[in-house]
């Protein structure tokens, strides 16, 4: 995972950092202003840094990165706030646990060309960047070798050529990292290139940015998303109803108004959302924000995240309670990813 600079696009050589960001690039200032030190985050949240300093060694290979918009939704003084727990480095991350590895979901085996993964029929996934708008401590790609993935339009040519050659690919997923850390001009050009393969019908964006920095949903983003021939779909990632403040609701509303179908995936996380009441409230809030619950993921067994794991038996109970309380369309599918499978495996 990389710390983001303002010159994200320099690899392509055709987009230089500008001195004066346009009004619609306010999200870049938010990226710059994000918390990158445990000390500063603790001061902001009125937490004694000693209480959490034990997490510091975990930041060596995976630094802290928390946007202010997200931190503002945390409860000051509460070290076990469910939003804080997602991003707070912990000494437990440095404990090796059997079965938790650096390649938990077979990404290396599924690589078609550098930067392009295919696991499932008809869908291929582009790793567009290693940068994210937040560093989630449980991230299944926290050890992914992003340095080996191509960056920028020229470097993506082999992946684009592979897409063009395979007529069975109907959908391209933009993933990463978070694709929306890239600039809109780059994303517009990328979507244009993907659309040149006439067999591709859908463009799916997997992103946490509308949740983390809602101002990312700006006119430029809406313009390229809706002008492409490809049918856009956005899958966001929220784990707790507190993440969906009014600012986030407004951003999601703009996407919905523009005709972009919105879905959410959640990771089942101990100490964050491992109770039915929280997940019921999340589903209801998502729907109010015009987002359909899609997947509830069993944690991928990535090294450093074992302390977030919720046992399947408990997960099944939670989902059963959700099913008895909510309309069917507000119950996400409880799934896990098994390397080598032909789809996500449905648990319930
Ligand atoms: C999860 C995943 C997808 C998407 O699967 P859906 O069930 O269609 O949401 C596609 N490609 C890869 C590599 C994935 O990991
Ligand atoms: S936003 Fe997604 S890819 Fe980025 S750190 Fe969080 S879980 Fe990982």
């Amino acid at each position: 995972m990389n710390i983001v600079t303002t010159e994200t696009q320099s690899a392509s050589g055709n987009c230089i950092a500008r001195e004066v960001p346009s009004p619609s690039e306010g999200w870049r200032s938010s990226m710059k202003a994000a918390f990158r030190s445990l000390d500063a985050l603790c001061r902001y949240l009125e937490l004694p840094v000693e209480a959490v300093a034990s997490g510091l060694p975990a930041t060596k290979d995976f630094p802290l990165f928390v946007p202010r918009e997200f931190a503002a939704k945390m409860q000051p003084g509460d070290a076990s706030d469910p939003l804080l727990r997602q991003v707070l480095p912990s000494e437990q991350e440095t404990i090796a646990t059997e079965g938790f590895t650096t390649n938990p979901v077979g990404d290396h085996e599924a690589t078609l060309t550098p930067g392009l993964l295919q696991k499932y029929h008809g869908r291929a996934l582009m790793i567009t960047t290693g940068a994210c708008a937040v560093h989630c401590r449980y991230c299944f790609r926290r050890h992914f070798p992003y340095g080996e993935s191509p960056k920028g339009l020229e470097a993506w040519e082999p992946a684009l050529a592979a897409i063009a050659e395979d007529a069975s690919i109907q959908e391209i997923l933009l993933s990463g990292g978070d694709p929306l850390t890239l600039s809109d001009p780059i994303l517009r050009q990328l979507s244009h290139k993907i659309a040149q393969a006439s067999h591709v019908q859908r463009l799916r964006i997997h992103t946490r940015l509308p949740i983390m920095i809602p101002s990312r949903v700006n006119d430029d983003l809406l313009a390229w998303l809706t002008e492409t021939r490809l049918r856009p779909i956005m899958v966001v990632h929220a784990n707790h109803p507190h993440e969906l403040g009014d600012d986030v609701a407004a951003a999601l509303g703009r996407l919905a108004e523009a005709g972009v179908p919105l879905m959410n995936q959640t990771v089942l996380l101990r100490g964050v959302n491992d109770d039915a009441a929280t997940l019921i409230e999340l589903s209801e809030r998502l729907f109010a924000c015009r987002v359909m619950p899609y997947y509830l993921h069993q944690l991928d067994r990535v090294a450093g995240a074992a302390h977030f794991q919720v046992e399947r038996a408990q997960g099944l109970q939670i989902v059963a309670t959700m099913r008895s309380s909510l309309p069917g369309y507000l119950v996400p599918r409880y799934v896990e990813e098994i390397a080598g499978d032909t789809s996500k495996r449905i648990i319930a």
Side-chain angles (χ1 to χ4, degrees), residues 171-172 201-205 221-222 224-235 255 258-263:
E171 177 167 341
I172 297 298
Q201 301 301 324
R202 301 182 295 273
L203 182 67
R204 195 197 307 185
I205 321 286
L221 170 67
L222 294 171
W224 68 261
L225 250 185
T226 53
E227 83 187 9
T228 167
R229 157 187 88 71
L230 304 167
R231 187 84 176 94
I233 302 150
M234 190 174 284
V235 180
L255 286 159
V260 180
L262 298 170
M263 300 190 288

Side-chain angles (χ1 to χ4, degrees), residues 314-335:
Q314 190 191 342
L316 281 166
Q317 248 174 19
I318 290 171
V319 174
T321 306
M322 292 178 80
R323 192 156 281 129
S324 63
S325 317
L326 288 169
Y329 60 86
L330 290 188
V331 183
R333 270 157 283 179
Y334 181 30
V335 295

Side-chain angles (χ1 to χ4, degrees), residues 117 119-120 123 125 173 204 294-295 337 344:
L117 308 182
K119 293 182 180 170
Y120 309 136
R123 290 151 283 169
L125 181 153
L173 285 72
R204 195 197 307 185
Y294 183 37
Y295 282 149
E337 186 167 346
K344 304 277 189 266

Side-chain angles (χ1 to χ4, degrees), residues 1 62 130-142 146 175-178 207-209 212 237 267:
M1 201 76 35
F62 191 39
C132 285
V134 59
H135 287 181
C136 314
R137 306 313 298 181
Y138 54 84
C139 178
F140 73 111
R141 289 208 180 108
R142 59 179 287 171
Y146 288 111
S175 182
D178 195 314
T207 177
R208 230 187 157 182
L209 255 148
M212 290 296 143
H237 169 182
V267 183

